Amino acid sequence: GAVVSQHPSRVICKSGTSVKIECRSLDFQATTMFWYRQFPKQSLMLMATSNEGSKATYEQGVEKDKFLINHASLTLSTLTVTSAHPEDSSFYICSASFSNTEAFFGQGTRLTVV
Amino acid sequence: KQEVTQIPAALSVPEGENLVLNCSFTDSAIYNLQWFRQDPGKGLTSLLLIQSSQREQTSGRLNASLDKSSGRSTLYIAASQPGDSATYLCAALSAGAGSYQLTFGKGTKLSVIP
């Protein structure tokens, strides 16, 4: 299957700082990228959907000014957690797909805000 | 709005048993349904993808079926092994606001006892 690379896999940051997570589709062009977060023992919750070249669509309850998503090219999307707080500590996963075909997932980023 | 439910939430079986995991979805207008495996603290591994026009898919000891009209999918694992212990998630891909949306169930945590 296609490969989606997510970086970094783990990050620890101080409260108040910003963290950027990258999601790259290595061998295909991703027209759509999805960002999820997962709290312990819970399922993945969709945060936002981004299409290349357009603004991301955020799910209800997700602060767009806090979770900045950029999908500048068909192979790269970034999620920036701005002014991170301990409650933002979570597991973030991106997925990429071309049209309505199979979604391929990155390996996730464990964010810890101290 | 699509909702995905997985039953049971947890399952413990002795090694060698065959088992079935269940997934149901409320909106039958899906493009496809995927089954994933998630190991603790790790990302997702795609196991099987069933397109909306298909009834089942098989990979090794895994068989997934899809009954779109009734909103159900099952994942059958034959001759379970301790290495199968993980959380299994199903996700339905359907139309979202201007894009596609992948909706996850909460998962079934499987423990295979040696």
Side-chain angles (χ1 to χ4, degrees), chain A residues 102, chain B residues 19 21 30-36 46-67 72-78:
Chain A
E102 183 174 359
Chain B
L19 59 101
L21 307 180
I30 62 171
Y31 294 109
N32 60 52
L33 188 131
Q34 283 184 259
W35 282 92
F36 298 89
S46 180
L47 298 174
L48 289 165
L49 168 75
I50 312 176
Q51 298 290 355
S52 62
S53 58
Q54 297 175 325
R55 298 281 293 181
E56 67 176 343
Q57 283 287 320
T58 298
S59 176
R61 293 182 293 109
L62 305 180
N63 176 278
S65 67
L66 174 65
D67 184 343
R72 294 179 182 177
S73 177
T74 61
L75 178 66
Y76 175 82
I77 302 177

Side-chain angles (χ1 to χ4, degrees), chain A residues 1-40:
Chain A
V3 178
V4 174
S5 174
Q6 189 173 338
H7 178 81
S9 58
R10 290 179 180 271
V11 58
I12 301 173
C13 71
K14 291 185 177 180
S15 184
T17 61
S18 295
V19 174
K20 180 183 284 189
I21 303 170
E22 290 188 351
C23 181
R24 293 179 184 272
S25 57
L26 298 185
D27 51 3
F28 70 103
Q29 293 185 327
T31 52
T32 308
M33 286 191 173
F34 306 88
W35 287 94
Y36 300 83
R37 67 185 298 181
Q38 184 179 34
F39 292 106

Side-chain angles (χ1 to χ4, degrees), chain B:
Chain B
K1 182 182 177 183
Q2 179 73 275
E3 294 182 4
V4 177
T5 304
Q6 289 187 249
I7 296 174
L11 182 63
S12 184
V13 300
E15 181 177 2
E17 270 202 10
N18 303 325
L19 59 101
V20 175
L21 307 180
N22 296 293
C23 172
S24 61
F25 45 95
T26 56
D27 184 356
S28 62
I30 62 171
Y31 294 109
N32 60 52
L33 188 131
Q34 283 184 259
W35 282 92
F36 298 89
R37 169 187 173 136
Q38 186 176 33
D39 292 286
K42 300 290 183 62
L44 301 178
T45 300
S46 180
L47 298 174
L48 289 165
L49 168 75
I50 312 176
Q51 298 290 355
S52 62
S53 58
Q54 297 175 325
R55 298 281 293 181
E56 67 176 343
Q57 283 287 320
T58 298
S59 176
R61 293 182 293 109
L62 305 180
N63 176 278
S65 67
L66 174 65
D67 184 343
K68 215 171 71 160
S69 61
S70 66
R72 294 179 182 177
S73 177
T74 61
L75 178 66
Y76 175 82
I77 302 177
S80 59
Q81 303 171 357
D84 295 331
S85 299
T87 296
Y88 291 80
L89 297 162
C90 70
L93 183 70
S94 49
S99 183
Y100 305 98
Q101 183 156 335
L102 196 60
T103 306
F104 283 84
K106 293 187 176 181
T108 295
K109 186 175 182 180
L110 173 65
S111 298
V112 181
I113 303 167

Side-chain angles (χ1 to χ4, degrees), chain A residues 66-77:
Chain A
K66 182 169 186 59
F67 299 99
L68 301 179
I69 292 173
N70 182 279
H71 191 168
S73 75
L74 284 170
T75 59
L76 174 65
S77 177

